[in-house]
Amino acid sequence: MIARLFPHPGLSGLLVLVWLLLQNNLSAGTIIFALIVGFVVPLFTSTYWQDKPRIRFGWRMIDYLGVVIWDILIANFQVAWLILFRRNRDLRSSWLVVPLEVRQPEAITSLAGTISLTPGTVSADVSADGRSLLVHALDVADREAEVARIKSRYEARLIRIFQ
């Protein structure tokens, strides 16, 4: 019965959190409306989620979020340094093709979003077969090392979360 009322509890919680952050107001009305949105949206869209992904919450998710937040923080300083102290002609921007081991569309989307959230890199395209990701990087000394870093820091953790 609970599974029918809350078909996607993670999505419900995320919707409540995002609504509250967007409103930037913790009044009773805002909280009640956020709870209603968190209840109604997953309930009405559950028929479109036939093959919902299996996501492992817990330490694996905390580890992944910690790595992502740390990398975003460090990349902000690196990009600021590049902008302030390196000439444009000295930048080594590059297109990287990252071969993917992960197959779930939600995991690929999470990886692409993570890469785009990290300053200095942006996901540009996913191959039609979903086996590679095209990434643009602002400054890359070694392409293979950068691809290996993306795979080890993000993709390996996402595989453990989405398996």
Side-chain angles (χ1 to χ4, degrees):
M1 182 65 177
I2 294 293
R4 278 187 136 167
L5 288 175
F6 293 100
H8 304 286
L11 178 61
S12 295
L14 183 64
L15 286 171
V16 169
L17 178 68
V18 168
W19 186 265
L20 291 174
L21 290 172
L22 286 173
Q23 294 303 312
N24 198 22
N25 180 9
L26 282 178
S27 68
T30 303
I31 294 171
I32 290 170
F33 194 76
L35 291 171
I36 290 170
V37 168
F39 173 73
V40 170
V41 170
L43 190 63
F44 287 132
T45 61
S46 65
T47 57
Y48 302 108
W49 292 61
Q50 297 300 323
D51 298 325
K52 66 180 181 179
R54 291 185 57 204
I55 300 174
R56 294 180 182 235
F57 293 97
W59 292 114
R60 292 174 181 177
M61 183 72 77
I62 292 169
D63 174 53
Y64 178 72
L65 292 174
V67 167
V68 170
I69 291 169
W70 177 256
D71 286 354
I72 289 171
L73 180 70
I74 297 301
N76 272 297
F77 288 109
Q78 291 171 338
V79 169
W81 185 85
L82 288 172
I83 291 169
L84 293 173
F85 299 110
R86 192 176 289 174
R87 292 179 286 197
N88 286 345
R89 68 173 184 236
D90 295 335
L91 288 177
R92 301 166 293 191
S93 64
S94 180
W95 289 100
L96 309 171
V97 177
V98 180
L100 299 176
E101 295 172 35
V102 68
R103 294 288 173 248
Q104 296 91 343
E106 296 83 7
I108 294 171
T109 302
S110 297
L111 177 61
T114 299
I115 291 168
S116 294
L117 279 172
T118 307
T121 56
V122 65
S123 300
D125 197 13
V126 178
S127 65
D129 62 359
R131 297 191 183 269
S132 62
L133 186 64
L134 182 64
V135 175
H136 184 268
L138 182 62
D139 189 53
V140 176
D142 182 4
R143 289 180 180 180
E144 290 79 23
E146 186 66 21
V147 169
R149 188 185 72 79
I150 290 170
K151 292 184 71 60
S152 67
R153 290 191 68 80
Y154 306 134
E155 186 184 28
R157 286 176 169 87
L158 284 171
I159 288 172
R160 289 192 297 268
I161 290 170
F162 282 92
Q163 67 181 356

